[in-house]
Amino acid sequence: MANQVTTLKMEQKFKKTPAGEIPADWDLRTLGELCLAAPEYGANVSAVEFRPEWPRYVRITDINDAGVLSSAGRKSIKDEDSKSYLLEKGDIIFARSGATVGKTYLYRKSDGPCAFAGYTIRFKPDPQRLLPEFLLQFTHSQLYYQWVKGMLRAGAQPNINGSEYSRLYLPIPPLDEQKKITEILSTVDDAIEKTSAVIEKSNQLKKGLMQTLLTRGIGHTKFKKSPAGEIPVDWEVVKLGDVAVQPEERFVPVPGDARPYIGLEHIGSGTGRLLSTGTSTTVSSLKSIFRAGDILFGKLRPNLKKVVMPSFDGVCSTDIMVIRPKDGLSRSFMFYRLQSATAFDFAVGTSGGTKMPRTSWPLFRNYAFPCPHLAEQKKIAEILSGLDAKIEQEEAALMETQKLKHGLMRALLTGRVRVTK
């Protein structure tokens, strides 16, 4: 890739435009000027269950951040309702309303017959002036996101209509340069997609391993029936309250007493990972104290999959339950046990309240689960933690590739770096 680009020298000329400085040999045009037809709004009909003989119905919720259609939750549009809304090669649709406003999707024939839904707008770039693939890449850039943010009005429902999208300024390189820029960025996109697929596969593997290891263990051939289902004969079913306690330590904010602080916003959902921490100097009310090795479990129903085991002492939100395993139990084993589907299901079943349903220790302590001997607990935790380490490594590689993509976009889409023939 490096031999395809060259850094501009000082003698490179730029010109000022309403969209900022661009190379002197580039053009600046609005999206509306570069399209073959006026923007078109999608079909205003309800989706139906997916049927292969009918077109897929593309809604804003089907488009991910990379501009790719999700394979989950596919819906169709009736054949008779789709006639004026069928997508063609080169069509690009923009989300016009809601939290996803600004998202884009470029139709590919490999996606099969598709029709676009009402909260999206179709544009048809003129391929003799604007390559659809180049436009798609531009709509993933920081330049575009800043424009979208500037178009949204404070206090209003997020919305950008067809007329407003038509006024989007685009820095336009010559066609051959558009093609080369697109090829470079698409190569990085492919690497991102492959790494993302590996991460997804690893997460599915972890999910399956957890289900097997936490119910059938390692190498067992004899099983028995129990209240928790069929389990190895030398396992027993225990209640959480018999093998763990909830500490009663509370933190009263005192000026100058700074400790690491964990709120629900600091914990990844379903990952078992801490995203960041705050500091206790920012809290103004009573909080819970946790110790290294304690397990923090989100109590609110929308946050029940937020579980983490910090390696340091600190303070946490009272919306988080602090669980401390007793001696004789592997803390890491308990950490994975509390990430299991049965733990989440039990928490949901014991959560109460109208506005903010939540579980509580007096109820959650009755969660019953199969438990092996300590040596096997450690082996199970070791297998799962090894897989977690692999996933973290893959996610770090993905983050680096995404940083590379962002850097290339800033350079290539502004002409600070030019592609060579």
Side-chain angles (χ1 to χ4, degrees), residues 3 44 79 96 128 140 150 218 230 248 338 416 418:
N3 62 2
N44 189 23
D79 209 28
R96 68 180 177 92
Q128 299 303 313
H140 293 162
I218 302 170
E230 193 175 68
E248 297 297 330
L338 292 178
R416 265 41 186 190
R418 301 294 294 271

Side-chain angles (χ1 to χ4, degrees), residues 5 8 14 19 21-23 26 134 137-138 140-146 171 181 184-185 188 399-418:
V5 298
L8 286 175
F14 285 82
E21 284 193 343
I22 63 173
W26 284 22
F134 179 83
Q137 291 292 347
F138 182 83
H140 293 162
S141 71
Q142 193 60 36
L143 290 171
Y144 174 71
Y145 295 140
Q146 289 172 349
I181 290 172
I184 293 169
L185 296 178
V188 185
M399 188 174 297
E400 286 303 310
T401 310
Q402 289 171 331
K403 286 181 181 177
L404 171 64
K405 170 81 184 290
H406 292 152
L408 283 171
M409 292 177 82
R410 282 194 300 270
L412 296 174
L413 296 175
T414 60
R416 265 41 186 190
V417 171
R418 301 294 294 271

Side-chain angles (χ1 to χ4, degrees), residues 320-335:
I320 295 173
M321 192 163 17
V322 180
I323 300 172
R324 183 171 296 166
K326 295 180 180 179
D327 292 339
L329 190 79
S330 164
R331 289 174 180 254
S332 295
F333 173 80
M334 179 62 74
F335 173 52

Side-chain angles (χ1 to χ4, degrees), residues 14-324:
F14 285 82
K15 60 185 178 184
K16 292 183 178 180
T17 73
E21 284 193 343
I22 63 173
D25 61 330
W26 284 22
D27 201 358
L28 186 75
R29 288 286 181 266
T30 63
L31 176 58
E33 292 178 286
L34 296 166
C35 287
L36 297 170
E40 300 171 277
Y41 290 84
N44 189 23
V45 296
S46 298
V48 297
E49 289 303 310
F50 181 75
R51 290 172 56 171
E53 66 270 24
W54 285 348
R56 178 171 180 177
Y57 203 26
V58 180
R59 304 155 297 169
I60 55 177
T61 51
D62 296 324
I63 305 168
N64 68 19
D65 291 335
V68 176
L69 287 185
S70 169
S71 58
R74 292 186 300 172
K75 295 290 184 178
S76 283
I77 179 175
K78 292 181 179 178
D79 209 28
E80 60 267 26
D81 293 331
S82 70
K83 300 304 182 185
S84 301
Y85 306 100
L86 290 173
L87 293 170
E88 299 175 340
K89 183 180 178 181
D91 287 355
I92 184 167
I93 61 175
F94 289 70
R96 68 180 177 92
S97 185
T100 58
V101 65
K103 273 190 179 181
T104 56
Y105 159 68
L106 175 63
Y107 175 69
R108 298 170 179 84
K109 283 194 173 181
S110 58
D111 289 332
C114 291
F116 62 112
Y119 286 102
T120 64
I121 307 172
R122 171 166 63 182
F123 285 84
K124 289 180 171 290
D126 179 355
Q128 299 303 313
R129 295 188 293 166
L130 173 63
L131 297 181
E133 295 81 5
F134 179 83
L135 173 59
L136 180 69
Q137 291 292 347
F138 182 83
T139 62
H140 293 162
S141 71
Q142 193 60 36
L143 290 171
Y144 174 71
Y145 295 140
Q146 289 172 349
W147 178 85
V148 169
K149 185 178 180 180
M151 292 298 295
L152 301 178
R153 293 168 292 279
Q157 169 70 12
N159 183 76
I160 300 178
N161 61 38
S163 175
E164 290 168 329
Y165 272 125
S166 294
R167 296 197 295 271
L168 167 65
Y169 275 117
L170 297 166
I172 304 297
L175 275 179
D176 61 340
E177 192 168 359
Q178 289 185 42
K179 183 178 180 182
K180 292 182 180 72
I181 290 172
T182 300
E183 287 172 351
I184 293 169
L185 296 178
S186 295
T187 299
V188 185
D189 282 338
D190 289 343
I192 289 172
E193 189 174 341
K194 287 176 182 176
T195 306
S196 297
V198 171
I199 293 170
E200 176 62 25
K201 188 175 181 180
S202 296
N203 279 319
Q204 290 301 320
L205 174 61
K206 178 186 172 182
K207 184 178 179 181
L209 268 178
M210 284 181 66
Q211 172 64 24
T212 301
L213 292 173
L214 294 175
T215 57
R216 304 189 71 79
I218 302 170
H220 293 279
T221 57
K222 295 182 179 180
F223 298 86
K224 65 182 180 183
K225 292 182 179 179
S226 79
E230 193 175 68
I231 62 174
V233 291
D234 60 343
W235 285 25
E236 60 178 327
V237 175
V238 300
K239 286 186 178 180
L240 180 60
D242 294 331
V243 294
V245 297
Q246 182 183 45
E248 297 297 330
E249 297 175 276
R250 293 291 180 263
F251 174 75
V252 179
V254 176
D257 186 357
R259 307 187 193 188
Y261 170 73
I262 296 177
L264 289 170
E265 68 275 15
H266 299 125
I267 305 174
S269 181
T271 65
R273 211 163 299 144
L274 192 63
L275 303 176
S276 62
T277 59
T279 175
S280 62
T281 57
T282 64
V283 302
S284 58
S285 59
L286 191 69
K287 302 297 178 187
S288 299
I289 292 175
F290 64 83
R291 304 296 179 188
D294 286 348
I295 299 166
L296 308 186
F297 190 99
K299 294 192 291 187
L300 297 179
R301 188 179 292 176
N303 297 284
L304 290 174
K305 292 190 177 183
K306 294 197 170 191
V307 186
V308 73
M309 187 171 68
S311 58
F312 52 85
D313 296 353
V315 178
C316 68
S317 163
T318 52
D319 289 329
I320 295 173
M321 192 163 17
V322 180
I323 300 172
R324 183 171 296 166

